[in-house]
Amino acid sequence: MTKLKRIMVTVAVAAGVLALATAPQAAAAPKEGPGTAVTSIKGVKLIPAQPRGAAKRTNGVNAQADAYLIQSVLSGRCLDADLNTINTNGTRVQLWDCDVYAAQQAFYITAIPEGYLRFQNVASGRYLDADLASINTNNTRIQLWDFVGGATNQWWLDTVIPEGYLRLQSPASGRYLTTEGSVGGNGTRVQLWDYLPGAHSQWWN
C-alpha cells in the first residue's frame, strides 16, 4: 500500500469514528415540562394533611403547596405507603386508617402540561406508580417509584363522576385505581382494574 493510500484509509476510518460519536442516540423518555401545584381537583374537596418530615417537591414545582390524603370511598381509609419498604423503589401502597399527621399517607399533587396528575409521597419523595411488569393485566400492582420523566405509568387522569367523587385512570393501561376486595380493611392492597360501573372500590376523594 502506498503512503497516499495509507493516508486516505486513515482519514476514512477517522471520519467513520467521528460519525459514530456524533450520531443521534436512541430516543430517551420525553422530558416533562414543569408542573403546577394542585390545591383542588375539579371541585372535589381534598383532605388536607399536616405531615411531619416532608420530602422536597420535585419536577419543577416551586411553590410550597399543601399535601393531601387520598381517601377510598369504599372504606373511608386512605392510601398509605408501607413503612417497611418506604425507603426503596417498589414500596407497597395499601389502605390504612387515615392520619393527617402521617407523612406516608400524604401526597403532593402536581398537574403536568400533558393534562395528567402526579402524586408524590411526602415521606419518601417517590411517586404513585403502576408496576410495568403487570401493566397489561387486571391486578396491576401499585407502588412508589423514583420520578421518571415521561413515564405514563406515573401519570393519572382524574375524572369527577356525578356522585361527586374521583376516578383515577392510568393512561399506561386505561385501567383504574382500585382497592382489592369489597371490605377495604387496614393493609388492603391497591391495584389497577378495568372500569367497574358503580364500584365504590374505584371512587376516591
Side-chain angles (χ1 to χ4, degrees):
M1 184 181 292
T2 66
K3 183 175 182 181
L4 179 58
K5 286 183 177 179
R6 287 195 188 97
I7 292 173
M8 291 175 66
V9 169
T10 301
V11 170
V13 170
V17 170
L18 180 61
L20 287 173
T22 58
Q25 300 300 308
K31 184 178 179 182
E32 297 171 13
T36 303
V38 169
T39 56
S40 65
I41 300 179
K42 298 177 180 176
V44 174
K45 184 180 179 182
L46 300 174
I47 303 171
Q50 302 174 46
R52 303 182 181 95
K56 183 180 178 182
R57 289 178 66 90
T58 59
N59 194 28
V61 179
N62 296 318
Q64 181 57 51
D66 293 331
Y68 298 93
L69 303 183
I70 309 300
Q71 186 181 41
S72 167
V73 173
L74 176 68
S75 67
R77 293 183 170 86
C78 290
L79 289 187
D80 177 282
D82 175 31
L83 289 175
N84 292 322
T85 54
I86 192 71
N87 294 318
T88 62
N89 280 327
T91 301
R92 171 189 167 99
V93 177
Q94 59 193 0
L95 293 184
W96 208 270
D97 291 334
C98 298
D99 180 354
V100 296
Y101 300 109
Q104 77 272 15
Q105 291 187 5
F107 289 86
Y108 297 125
I109 306 173
T110 303
I112 61 174
E114 293 78 5
Y116 300 100
L117 299 178
R118 277 184 172 272
F119 294 86
Q120 184 188 15
N121 185 258
V122 169
S124 71
R126 294 183 172 90
Y127 288 79
L128 198 64
D129 175 289
D131 177 28
L132 288 174
S134 55
I135 195 68
N136 293 319
T137 63
N138 280 327
N139 213 27
T140 301
R141 168 188 165 92
I142 301 299
Q143 58 193 358
L144 296 183
W145 203 271
D146 289 335
F147 175 87
V148 180
T152 59
N153 63 309
Q154 295 184 348
W155 297 357
W156 300 91
L157 179 63
D158 54 312
T159 302
V160 179
I161 61 175
E163 292 80 1
Y165 302 111
L166 292 170
R167 281 185 180 267
L168 296 172
Q169 184 181 25
S170 170
S173 74
R175 294 181 173 88
Y176 291 82
L177 188 67
T178 308
T179 64
E180 186 178 49
S182 59
V183 178
N186 281 336
T188 296
R189 201 171 72 92
V190 181
Q191 58 193 350
L192 290 185
W193 202 271
D194 290 334
Y195 177 85
L196 299 171
H200 289 48
S201 61
Q202 294 185 337
W203 296 1
W204 304 89
N205 59 18

